[in-house]
């Protein structure tokens, strides 16, 4: 049976269908580069914003109202689901995420809970309902998201951000059985959370595996990550919405990350888009991949970088314009505005020329 074809540019591109122009949204599009966001954060802590549906909804809509992106992404973070599992997470100003009781031994894995998202993440699920109500009449899809198990485990074991992933890799190598139990628990929790986000109204999902590719060589990836990501994508496919697989830093083993699943492949800024898409196959849509730092450059340089992404995508259906990682706090809003307008203009014209 065929479902009805979607009409929004973003959802059409997720299905590889032709669109009148290339859809655009940006990873971390709601955040500190926007004064409206900073004003909210002056009054409320990060976790308060995430847990209060009205605030999370407001912040989610800020970049939509200001720039007219073709998709919204729910304002949340990949880490709060860890709180429900028993990890004491906080976001510390100037430092980032911090976990007071990180996993250091196999026993710590066994005491982790796996409660349903309806119990642990009600604020985000409610926020999705509020945003959906606002965006459905405007035909703008809302993206839900979650972290992939390795990326979440890196915070759970390291206790915060890391540059060398020494603790998580040492744990993985020395406690392979506990590693497996940890990954299965994380998959269980994330799969349920993602399914509940769809139930609340999310029209697409993105799974962020931000760190596995940067931490691991191919053999470790195949052994310690791929089976669990595959499990997660397989389970989440049952929701029926398009799922974006953003696996940063996988470089030479891109296809091993692609094999895990996902309807759309998110490319990080290090990957040549044309080469990557050819490897993946043009029947699979791709998202990306402007270097976020290009938004800090003068217009002539920024424009050249945008042109390069568009040239590499070559006007094929199934390209979603995005950054190749999250937008940076010092990004001037004028550059974001200019980026959106330029991509619209360039990709709209190209299609007109073909008619
Ligand atoms: O894209 C969006 O607009 C939705 C919001 C979103 C946030 N985090 C908000 C946030 C999303 C999709 C994330 C995902 C996330 N969070 C990832 C995966 C994507 C990626 O960047 O690779 C990761 C690894 C995290 C973990 C995390 N959260 C870190 C390392 C930090 C601190 C670094 C930083 O940028 O400050 C956060 C905090 C965070 N998450 C902020 C925002 C807007 C900054 C909080 C603030 O306002 O101070």
């Amino acid at each position: 049976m065929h479902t009805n074809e979607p009409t929004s540019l973003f959802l059409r591109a997720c299905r590889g269908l032709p669109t009148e122009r290339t859809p655009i949204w940006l990873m971390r599009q709601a955040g500190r580069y926007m004064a409206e966001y900073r004003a909210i954060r002056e009054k409320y802590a990060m976790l308060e914003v995430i847990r209060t549906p009205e605030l999370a909804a407001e912040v989610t809509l800020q970049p939509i109202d200001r720039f007219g992106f073709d998709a919204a992404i729910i304002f949340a973070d990949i880490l709060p689901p860890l709180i429900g599992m028993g990890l004491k997470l906080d976001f510390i100003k100037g430092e980032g995420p911090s976990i007071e009781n990180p996993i250091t031994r196999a026993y710590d894995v066994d005491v982790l809970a796996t409660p349903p998202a309806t119990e642990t993440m009600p604020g985000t699920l409610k926020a999705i309902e509020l945003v959906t109500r606002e965006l459905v009449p405007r035909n703008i899809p809302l993206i839900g998201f979650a972290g992939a198990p390795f990326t979440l485990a890196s915070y759970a074991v390291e206790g915060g951000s890391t540059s060398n992933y020494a603790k998580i890799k040492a744990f993985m190598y020395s406690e392979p059985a506990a590693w497996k139990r940890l990954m299965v628990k994380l998959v269980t929790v994330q799969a349920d959370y993602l399914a509940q986000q769809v139930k609340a109204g999310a029209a697409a999902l993105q799974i962020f595996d931000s760190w596995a590719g940067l931490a691991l060589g191919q053999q470790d990836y195949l052994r310690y990550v791929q089976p669990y990501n595959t499990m997660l994508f397989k389970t989440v496919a049952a929701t029926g919405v398009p799922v974006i697989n953003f696996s940063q830093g996988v470089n030479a083993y891109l296809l091993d990350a692609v094999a895990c699943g996902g309807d759309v492949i998110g490319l990080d800024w290090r990957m040549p888009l044309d080469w990557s898409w050819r490897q993946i196959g043009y029947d699979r849509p791709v998202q990306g991949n402007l270097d976020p730092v290009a938004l800090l450059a003068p217009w002539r340089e920024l424009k050249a970088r945008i042109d390069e992404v568009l040239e590499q995508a070559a006007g094929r259906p199934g390209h979603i314009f995005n950054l190749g990682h999250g937008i940076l706090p010092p990004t001037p809003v004028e550059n974001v505005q200019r980026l959106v307008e330029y991509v619209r203009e360039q990709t709209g014209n190209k299609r007109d020329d073909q008619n």
Side-chain angles (χ1 to χ4, degrees):
M1 199 180 81
H2 284 275
T3 46
N4 290 336
E5 275 194 3
T7 56
S8 72
L9 298 180
F10 169 76
L11 289 177
R12 288 183 64 81
C14 285
R15 297 297 185 205
L17 298 167
T19 50
E20 70 212 30
R21 58 174 176 76
T22 301
I24 176 169
W25 71 279
L26 305 182
M27 288 190 274
R28 297 265 190 117
Q29 63 191 15
R32 284 163 296 183
Y33 74 106
M34 291 183 74
E36 302 92 304
Y37 175 84
R38 293 193 302 270
I40 297 251
R41 283 284 282 101
E42 262 167 39
K43 289 192 251 166
Y44 307 96
M46 177 71 178
L47 282 172
E48 265 181 288
V49 180
I50 292 177
R51 283 175 175 150
T52 312
E54 295 73 20
L55 290 176
E58 182 182 341
V59 169
T60 301
L61 294 170
Q62 285 174 346
I64 306 302
D65 294 339
R66 191 189 251 259
F67 304 110
F69 289 119
D70 296 304
I73 180 162
I74 190 64
F75 187 79
D77 193 86
I78 59 167
L79 300 176
L82 296 177
I83 299 171
M85 298 181 77
L87 294 164
K88 295 183 180 131
L89 167 78
D90 206 355
F91 290 96
I92 303 182
K93 205 177 157 75
E95 261 177 65
S98 170
I99 289 170
E100 197 186 299
N101 56 340
I103 293 167
T104 58
R105 54 203 169 130
Y107 172 80
D108 300 336
V109 172
D110 296 321
V111 297
L112 287 178
T114 56
T118 48
E119 275 171 28
T120 60
M121 301 298 294
T124 297
L125 298 176
K126 182 73 193 170
I128 291 174
E129 284 177 24
L130 296 181
V131 174
T132 305
R133 227 175 278 160
E134 191 72 33
L135 291 182
V136 164
R138 290 152 72 176
N139 202 21
I140 300 171
L142 176 66
I143 304 167
F145 70 90
F150 180 92
T151 291
L152 292 173
S154 80
Y155 291 96
V157 176
E158 300 278 347
S161 302
T162 167
S163 54
N164 59 14
Y165 306 91
K167 287 181 192 155
I168 185 174
K169 289 170 77 173
F171 186 82
M172 194 172 91
Y173 298 142
S174 52
E175 297 284 358
W179 175 259
K180 184 171 176 178
R181 295 198 296 279
L182 173 59
M183 295 301 267
V184 170
K185 279 189 171 183
L186 288 167
V187 168
T188 304
V189 168
Q190 301 313 305
D192 171 61
Y193 179 38
L194 288 162
Q196 290 303 324
Q197 292 184 56
V198 173
K199 214 169 153 197
L205 296 170
Q206 176 155 328
I207 295 174
F208 287 90
D209 206 356
S210 301
W211 309 136
L214 297 177
L216 305 178
Q218 182 178 30
Q219 293 313 316
D220 281 348
Y221 184 85
L222 291 173
R223 184 159 171 198
Y224 297 103
V225 174
Q226 201 194 44
Y228 310 103
N229 281 5
T230 304
M231 216 183 271
L232 181 58
F233 282 103
K234 212 169 178 175
T235 312
V236 170
T239 61
V241 303
V243 182
I244 306 165
N245 172 352
F246 178 67
S247 296
Q248 180 172 230
V250 291
N251 298 322
Y253 56 90
L254 170 68
L255 293 186
D256 296 323
V258 169
C260 296
D263 304 280
V264 178
I265 304 302
L267 297 170
D268 76 62
W269 55 270
R270 299 164 191 80
M271 303 298 284
L273 191 148
D274 51 359
W275 178 88
S276 306
W277 207 353
R278 204 178 325 125
Q279 308 300 309
I280 295 164
Y282 296 122
D283 56 337
R284 184 96 74 113
V286 296
Q287 174 177 283
N289 74 341
L290 183 73
D291 185 342
V293 178
L295 282 168
L296 307 183
W299 173 246
R300 87 190 128 67
E301 183 64 27
L302 172 55
K303 177 181 172 299
R305 303 296 181 107
I306 303 167
D307 285 337
E308 197 182 331
V309 172
L310 293 176
E311 273 159 30
Q312 296 199 22
R316 287 191 184 84
H319 176 227
I320 298 157
F321 198 102
N322 204 317
L323 303 178
H325 197 199
I327 192 166
L328 297 167
T331 302
V333 286
E334 311 80 68
N335 285 358
V336 176
Q337 188 70 58
R338 225 163 162 185
L339 162 69
V340 173
E341 280 163 15
Y342 187 69
V343 168
R344 293 232 151 106
E345 197 184 282
Q346 288 303 100
T347 62
N349 287 344
K350 239 175 229 156
R351 300 248 152 58
D352 288 346
D353 292 348
Q354 284 167 4
N355 289 338

